[in-house]
Amino acid sequence: MELHNVWFVLIAVLWIGYFFLEGFDFGVGVLTKLLARGRTEKRVLINTIGPVWDGNEVWLLTAGGATFAAFPEWYATLFSGFYLPLLIILVCLIIRGVAFEYRAKRPDENWQRNWEEAIFWTSLIPAVLWGVAFGNIVRGVKIDSEMEYVGTFGDLLNPYALLGGLVTLALFTFHGTVFAALKTVGDIRARARALALKLGLLTAVLALVFLVWTQVDKGDGWSLGAMLVAVVSLVGAIVAIKVGREGWSFALSGVTIAAAVAMLFFTLFPNVMPSSLNPEWSLTVTNASSSPYTLKIMTWCAAIAAPLVMLYQGWTYWVFRKRIGTQHIAGDAAH
C-alpha cells in the first residue's frame, strides 16, 4: 500500500478515536441539563469526565496535525472553506476547557452555574457542527480547478449535512448517557439508563436515515459492510442498556461510532474532498498529499509515538475507573 493511502487510513483512525472519546464527554456535557437534577448531580456528571476530557482532545489535535502534514492541500481547502464552523468549534473547545478548569475556582454559586451553562452549550454546539462538517465533506462542496472552496457558508447548511449534525448530536448524547450510567451509582445511574434507552431509539431512527442516504448516494460494498456493523452495534447497545449491561452498551455504542465514521471514509476514498462542481476538480489522496519523503518520516514518528500515547491514555482510564455518586460530593467541596 502506498504511503498516501496509509495516511488516509491513519487519519480515519484518528477521527474514529476522537469521536469515540470526545463523543461521550460531549454527551455528558449535554446531560448536565438533560439528566442532572440540581447542581450536585451536575458536579457528579462533570467529575465523570474531569480526569479524561483534555486527553480526549489530543486526538483532534493529532488528526488536524496529521492532515496538515500528510495532505496539505486537503487541510488548506478544508480550513479555508469551513472557516466559520471550524472557528466556532475551536472557540467552543477553548471556552469548554476554561469552564472545566475555572468552574471550581470560586465558591460563588452564580460563578459555578455560569461555567456549567458554558459546558452545556460548548458540548452541544460542536457535537452538531462536526456532523455538519463531515456531512458536507462526504456530499461534496464547491471546489474549483485551483483546489479552492468557492461556495458560501449557506451552502454548508444543506439537508444532508444538517441531518448529519442531528445524528452526531443524538449519537454522542446516547454514548455519553451510557457512559454516565457506567460511571455513576444510585438514582442518577438508574435515570441515565432509562434516558439512554429513549435516546437510543431516537438515535437509531436518525442514524438509519442518514446512513441509508449516504449508502444510496455514495456507497459501495465496503461502506455497506460498515453501515451494517454500525446498525447492528447500535441495536446491540440499546438492548444491552435495557438489560443493565452498561459496559457492553458503552462498547457497542463506541463500535457504532467507529463503524459510522469508517463508512464515511469508505465513501470518500480515493477522494478526500469531492468537488460538487466537477469531479475532476476533487481533492484526492494523490493530488492533495505531501511528498513520499515527508510521509515516510511521519510514518516512523507515528510508529514510535502513537503506542506511548495510547498506553498513557489507557492507564489514565484505568486509574479513574471507579463509579461515583452524589455521596462522593462533599457539601462544601469545590469538585
Side-chain angles (χ1 to χ4, degrees):
M1 183 183 291
E2 296 184 25
L3 283 179
H4 53 253
N5 293 336
V6 171
W7 274 97
F8 179 84
V9 173
L10 292 176
I11 288 172
V13 170
L14 290 171
W15 281 109
I16 287 171
Y18 174 66
F19 287 139
F20 179 97
L21 296 172
E22 188 88 302
F24 73 74
D25 69 46
F26 280 151
V28 170
V30 173
L31 290 181
T32 57
K33 277 189 178 293
L34 293 185
L35 180 65
R37 294 177 179 173
R39 295 197 57 252
T40 300
E41 289 193 353
K42 286 185 179 182
R43 290 160 67 184
V44 170
L45 290 173
I46 292 171
N47 285 357
T48 63
I49 59 174
V52 298
W53 68 267
D54 49 353
N56 295 343
E57 291 188 355
V58 170
W59 289 77
L60 173 62
L61 298 175
T62 308
T67 304
F68 172 76
F71 298 99
E73 293 289 350
W74 184 11
Y75 182 92
T77 303
L78 176 65
F79 278 80
S80 60
F82 292 21
Y83 177 80
L84 183 56
L86 292 178
L87 176 63
I88 293 172
I89 291 173
L90 177 61
V91 171
C92 283
L93 294 180
I94 292 172
I95 295 174
R96 189 168 180 265
V98 172
F100 280 123
E101 297 298 331
Y102 275 56
R103 175 185 59 87
K105 296 301 183 183
R106 289 171 53 182
D108 180 70
E109 187 173 331
N110 287 332
W111 168 273
Q112 295 189 6
R113 183 181 292 111
N114 289 338
W115 286 120
E116 288 162 0
E117 190 79 13
I119 289 172
F120 169 77
W121 287 108
T122 56
S123 299
L124 184 147
I125 293 171
V128 174
L129 290 182
W130 280 127
V132 173
F134 270 84
N136 276 290
I137 292 173
V138 171
R139 175 178 176 268
V141 292
K142 295 180 178 179
I143 299 174
D144 65 12
S145 59
E146 302 297 321
M147 298 185 180
E148 294 182 1
Y149 177 73
V150 293
T152 64
F153 177 71
D155 293 329
L156 303 179
L157 304 179
N158 54 81
Y160 176 79
L162 293 175
L163 177 59
L166 292 178
V167 170
T168 50
L169 175 61
L171 185 55
F172 291 169
T173 306
F174 171 69
H175 194 43
T177 308
V178 175
F179 180 78
L182 180 64
K183 288 288 292 178
T184 58
V185 295
D187 182 58
I188 192 170
R189 176 189 178 192
R191 285 188 283 110
R193 285 167 55 181
L195 180 59
L197 186 59
K198 297 175 183 177
L199 286 173
L201 296 175
L202 173 63
T203 302
V205 173
L206 292 173
L208 185 61
V209 173
F210 180 75
L211 295 178
V212 170
W213 189 346
T214 303
Q215 178 63 27
V216 170
D217 191 39
K218 302 281 186 178
D220 57 14
W222 287 98
S223 62
L224 177 60
M227 185 189 80
L228 293 176
V229 171
V231 172
V232 171
S233 298
L234 182 54
V235 172
I238 296 170
V239 172
I241 197 66
K242 182 176 177 61
V243 299
R245 302 297 298 270
E246 293 104 335
W248 278 104
S249 183
F250 180 71
L252 288 169
S253 66
V255 171
T256 302
I257 292 173
V261 176
M263 178 187 180
L264 298 183
F265 276 89
F266 279 134
T267 61
L268 272 177
F269 188 81
N271 295 323
V272 293
M273 282 191 77
S275 172
S276 60
L277 298 179
N278 187 335
E280 294 182 359
W281 297 344
S282 298
L283 275 68
T284 68
V285 292
T286 303
N287 65 22
S289 70
S290 294
S291 67
Y293 180 75
T294 300
L295 296 178
K296 184 177 181 180
I297 296 298
M298 290 176 60
T299 303
W300 279 108
C301 292
I304 296 170
L308 297 177
V309 172
M310 294 179 71
L311 283 172
Y312 173 76
Q313 193 163 22
W315 176 79
T316 303
Y317 277 92
W318 175 255
V319 169
F320 295 101
R321 67 189 181 277
K322 292 184 178 180
R323 296 176 183 266
I324 63 172
T326 54
Q327 67 269 31
H328 300 115
I329 305 294
D332 60 347
H335 293 279

